[in-house]
Amino acid sequence: MTTRAPLAIDALPSRWPTVAGAVVVLTTITSVLLIAFAWPSVRSSVHDVPIAVAGPATAVDRIRTALEQRAPGAFDITEVADTPTAEQLIRDRKVYGAIDVGSGTPQVIIASAAGTAVAQTLQTMATGFRQNSNAAPSVVVRDLAALPAGDARGAGLAAGALPLVMGGLLAAVLLTRLVRGTGRRVAGALAFAVTGGLAITGILQFWFGSLSGSHLANAGAVALSIAAIALTVLGLESLFGYAGIGIGAVIMMLIGNPLSGTATAPEMLPGRSGALGQLLPPGAGGQLLRSTAFFDGRGATSALTVLLTWATLGVVLCLIGSLRAHRAAAWNPGHAPVRALTLNAQ
């Protein structure tokens, strides 16, 4: 007589409610990803973009009125007396461009390196001035901070934002899996930030031709961005385990990267989301790299502060996690030998 062995539980088909639950989870995740990455682009528009208008008060008032009629709320206008003052504001990254009606020939001054989307908007506006019968027939468009000829559209800088974020996340994941000891993980993150910064800027600057300025300064900007991301995720992991890596991925990838404004400009993102993006490492890193590459470091103070704050926060979280591990080992003698291996490696 032959007896049939019972089927293993793992060999049984999953229940249909389990399949339905998996479908719901996948649909939710896909929808969240779509919203995170597509919403900023779909709802992108010009609002409160800082520009300067140079010239006599009466002429400036006419320009302000014309802009408000054509695009209400699009521009945050700073009135200046002359062209040099407007140009200095552009170089200092206080404004994206300027309309100069103080000289003989009206001109629109742009800075494509500060943001190609805003520069294109100002160029379109200049075209509208030309077509306006009440305006002078010739309006000069002058680029005060042009992108390199090798990448005049700024595609390399925009496309490099996502790999930079992924590099910081990947560094945290690999260091968590392969390296024991808080001190060694932090050292590994900083070392990778330096080598990654040199490699990324080398590719963007010397191969793609997307960056100008000092290679070392650009590498420092990228390195600080990578360090801020990697150290923050390492710190979150030290406190919350693998859930901390998930929290870090949501902050940096799903929130920080789409709201960075690197491909357009923070002021073109919907609502106040662009301002939020500048408080996160991806947005601050993109702004810092633009400053070092095209504006001799001007306008970098805010971005530097944000990145240094996140990097410091990451180190502090790592230290807190390490101290908590020490305390847990002291209160759990049965696990002390296992914990000692980790603590001795620090």
Side-chain angles (χ1 to χ4, degrees):
M1 181 177 180
T2 303
T3 303
R4 177 175 294 179
L7 291 174
I9 295 178
D10 291 341
L12 293 175
S14 297
R15 299 176 61 187
W16 285 111
T18 302
V19 177
V23 171
V24 171
V25 170
L26 290 172
T27 303
T28 302
I29 292 175
T30 304
S31 300
V32 170
L33 289 173
L34 175 63
I35 294 172
F37 285 93
W39 174 69
S41 299
V42 172
R43 295 290 182 239
S44 177
S45 63
V46 180
H47 57 87
D48 295 326
V49 173
I51 65 171
V53 179
T58 55
V60 170
D61 288 340
R62 287 199 301 270
I63 293 296
R64 180 189 291 274
T65 301
L67 291 177
E68 286 297 330
Q69 290 176 349
R70 295 182 58 183
F75 300 102
D76 181 10
I77 298 174
T78 299
E79 299 181 10
V80 297
D82 50 35
T83 305
T85 304
E87 291 179 349
Q88 192 60 47
L89 288 176
I90 295 173
R91 291 191 178 96
D92 290 341
R93 304 203 68 190
K94 300 294 181 60
V95 298
Y96 280 91
I99 301 172
D100 180 16
V101 292
S103 56
T105 302
Q107 60 178 333
V108 174
I109 309 172
I110 64 174
S112 57
T116 54
V118 176
Q120 290 170 359
T121 299
L122 293 175
Q123 287 178 305
T124 302
M125 186 171 59
T127 302
F129 287 157
R130 293 192 188 101
Q131 295 173 349
N132 189 338
S133 59
N134 295 324
S138 60
V139 178
V140 177
V141 176
R142 184 160 57 91
D143 198 340
L144 194 63
L147 287 164
D151 186 10
R153 296 181 296 110
L157 186 61
L162 182 58
L164 189 149
V165 176
M166 292 181 64
L169 290 173
L170 181 61
V173 172
L174 290 181
L175 289 170
T176 299
R177 295 296 300 272
L178 302 178
V179 178
R180 291 193 301 271
T182 301
R184 283 165 171 75
R185 287 177 178 176
V186 171
L190 293 175
F192 167 68
V194 173
T195 58
L198 290 170
I200 290 173
T201 54
I203 294 171
L204 287 174
Q205 190 158 352
F206 301 124
W207 185 1
F208 295 167
S210 300
L211 300 176
S212 301
S214 167
H215 175 239
L216 290 180
N218 295 336
V222 174
L224 185 56
S225 303
I226 293 175
I229 295 171
L231 290 173
T232 299
V233 178
L234 280 177
L236 290 170
E237 190 279 336
S238 70
L239 287 180
F240 306 110
Y242 287 120
I245 296 178
I247 296 172
V250 169
I251 294 173
M252 302 301 175
M253 183 71 73
L254 295 186
I255 300 177
N257 187 70
L259 301 185
S260 66
T262 303
T264 55
E267 292 80 4
M268 298 190 72
L269 297 177
R272 297 296 178 182
S273 59
L276 172 62
Q278 297 309 295
L279 298 177
L280 299 174
Q287 291 301 313
L288 179 59
L289 184 56
R290 285 188 187 276
S291 292
T292 58
F294 307 113
F295 296 90
D296 296 326
R298 298 186 183 94
T301 302
S302 177
L304 272 173
T305 302
V306 170
L307 292 173
L308 288 173
T309 300
W310 279 97
T312 303
L313 174 64
V315 173
V316 171
L317 293 178
C318 287
L319 292 176
I320 293 174
S322 178
L323 291 175
R324 192 174 69 173
H326 277 272
R327 196 171 291 114
W331 284 96
N332 295 277
H335 295 82
V338 177
R339 296 297 302 169
L341 292 174
T342 301
L343 299 177
N344 290 336
Q346 294 180 8

